[in-house]
Amino acid sequence: IRRMSIDRAELQSELRAAQEVQRLLTSSLEDTAPWAEVAVAYLPAKEVGGDFYFWRQTPDGQLIVVGDVSGKGLRAAMLASAALGALRHSAAS
């Protein structure tokens, strides 16, 4: 029982960390055009989820990406994080 309690506490800690990573990745609306008004509400079905968005002004206009990684939970959140990281990296170059 003690080991299960420790494992549960570790899992809860990992989920809180994943939630924070996801919050940081989905909370930015950088480079919004002056003519645009954008509001976002993100409510995952479980502790973390695979939905994501990305918004960036480009020389040609606005780049808007909305995605949903198949599945739910930690695995989907990590895949969404990888997709957002790739989008941010490509937009920065």
Side-chain angles (χ1 to χ4, degrees):
I1 293 174
R2 185 173 177 342
R3 184 68 210 159
M4 285 176 41
S5 178
I6 291 170
D7 289 347
R8 182 171 288 143
E10 288 175 358
L11 178 60
Q12 288 299 320
S13 176
E14 289 177 13
L15 283 173
R16 281 192 300 276
Q19 287 172 327
E20 180 63 14
V21 167
Q22 191 166 45
R23 185 190 66 75
L24 290 170
L25 288 172
T26 58
S27 64
S28 176
L29 290 175
E30 300 171 8
D31 296 330
T32 303
W35 49 264
E37 182 176 327
V38 180
V40 176
Y42 185 80
L43 304 168
K46 293 188 176 187
E47 290 86 358
V48 290
D51 301 329
F52 65 94
Y53 65 88
F54 179 82
W55 177 290
R56 183 66 45 95
Q57 189 166 336
T58 69
D60 298 322
Q62 296 289 314
L63 171 64
I64 302 169
V65 179
V66 178
D68 183 4
V69 174
S70 179
K72 298 292 177 205
L74 193 53
R75 181 176 289 181
M78 292 301 105
L79 286 171
S81 296
L84 279 167
L87 284 166
R88 286 186 174 171
H89 182 271
S90 67
S93 21

